[in-house]
Amino acid sequence: MTNVLFIDCCIRGEQSRTKRLAEAFLSALSCREGVLIERLTLMDEPLIPFSNGFFWQRERLLEAGGLDHPRFRYAHQFQQADKIVIAAPFWDLSFPALLKVYIENLCVQGITFDCDEKTGTYGVCQAKKMLFLTTRGGAFENGPLDNGTKYLRDMARFFGIPEFTHIAADGLDLGREPAEAILERAIGRAREAAKTF
């Protein structure tokens, strides 16, 4: 059984174009035998930024080796997944802050990464693939202002995940062609990608 963790940061919920793209991918993926999809909807989670007592609790737990504490559940879940799918819209040249808060909770030495004198820092996650699904109103594909895709590619490397890919519906709000046509092309690419993911 292949455990796929789907991280949903589609802020607009059912009105989200990114959600449509993600659901098309997941629907195609679920048709494959031996695939189990575990959903994590970030908007429903009690995620908070590191500050004050919440930060210092984390530091004390790490110092004491308390990696089994419930606050590290996101890191354990992420570390144990065989494949990772993240869906989030393009947002202020990146993605919604909620996804960054979630990633902060993933970065736990001894769970998702480790380090030593010989190797330096290295990822210890089980996943072999990470896919990022996104939609953008403007045209940012392969451009210098797409900080979200670059950041997630770097995080995949940090976590030790060897393969990172992304699928984007780009330029949806520019009026150069119907947004629905752009989205449908991206959905087609997503369904095709699901065959080998």
Side-chain angles (χ1 to χ4, degrees):
M1 186 65 71
T2 301
N3 178 29
V4 178
L5 176 61
F6 171 53
I7 301 155
D8 179 356
C9 190
C10 301
I11 300 292
R12 292 186 174 94
E14 296 310 311
Q15 298 178 38
S16 168
R17 299 180 294 196
T18 306
K19 180 87 165 171
R20 276 186 60 195
L21 178 61
E23 291 300 337
F25 174 82
L26 294 172
S27 177
L29 185 65
S30 66
C31 293
R32 292 178 45 194
E33 192 173 336
V35 173
L36 175 66
I37 298 170
E38 183 178 5
R39 291 173 176 260
L40 180 67
T41 303
L42 298 189
M43 292 73 71
D44 296 340
E45 295 296 315
L47 289 161
I48 59 172
F50 289 176
S51 61
N52 299 329
F54 187 65
F55 171 77
W56 290 113
Q57 179 204 42
R58 178 183 188 271
E59 294 301 290
R60 287 192 298 272
L61 287 166
L62 292 176
E63 194 174 304
L67 297 180
D68 58 347
H69 191 276
R71 74 167 292 162
F72 298 129
R73 66 189 180 281
Y74 299 118
H76 285 293
Q77 179 187 44
F78 188 92
Q79 191 279 331
Q80 293 164 12
D82 298 313
K83 296 173 183 177
I84 307 287
V85 179
I86 300 174
F90 188 76
W91 204 277
D92 301 330
L93 303 184
S94 182
F95 44 69
L98 182 61
L99 181 55
K100 179 61 172 73
V101 172
Y102 169 73
I103 291 169
E104 277 190 349
N105 281 272
L106 297 181
C107 295
V108 183
Q109 184 175 353
I111 301 178
T112 54
F113 76 95
D114 219 327
C115 59
D116 59 36
E117 290 183 7
K118 181 180 178 183
T119 311
T121 303
Y122 56 94
V124 295
C125 288
Q126 184 171 301
K128 300 301 180 199
K129 296 182 179 184
M130 179 190 287
L131 172 66
F132 176 43
L133 300 166
T134 191
T135 57
R136 310 185 190 111
F140 294 95
E141 183 71 9
N142 299 319
L145 298 181
D146 177 17
N147 299 303
T149 305
K150 180 187 183 308
Y151 177 81
L152 290 175
R153 180 181 289 113
D154 290 344
M155 290 309 303
R157 187 179 302 117
F158 176 76
F159 289 132
I161 302 171
E163 184 178 323
F164 175 88
T165 54
H166 81 282
I167 296 171
D170 199 59
L172 289 168
D173 300 330
L174 296 178
R176 295 174 182 168
E177 63 178 305
E180 191 64 24
I182 298 170
L183 186 56
E184 283 299 323
R185 277 202 307 275
I187 285 172
R189 293 197 305 273
R191 286 177 175 146
E192 192 63 27
K195 295 176 182 178
T196 56
F197 185 75

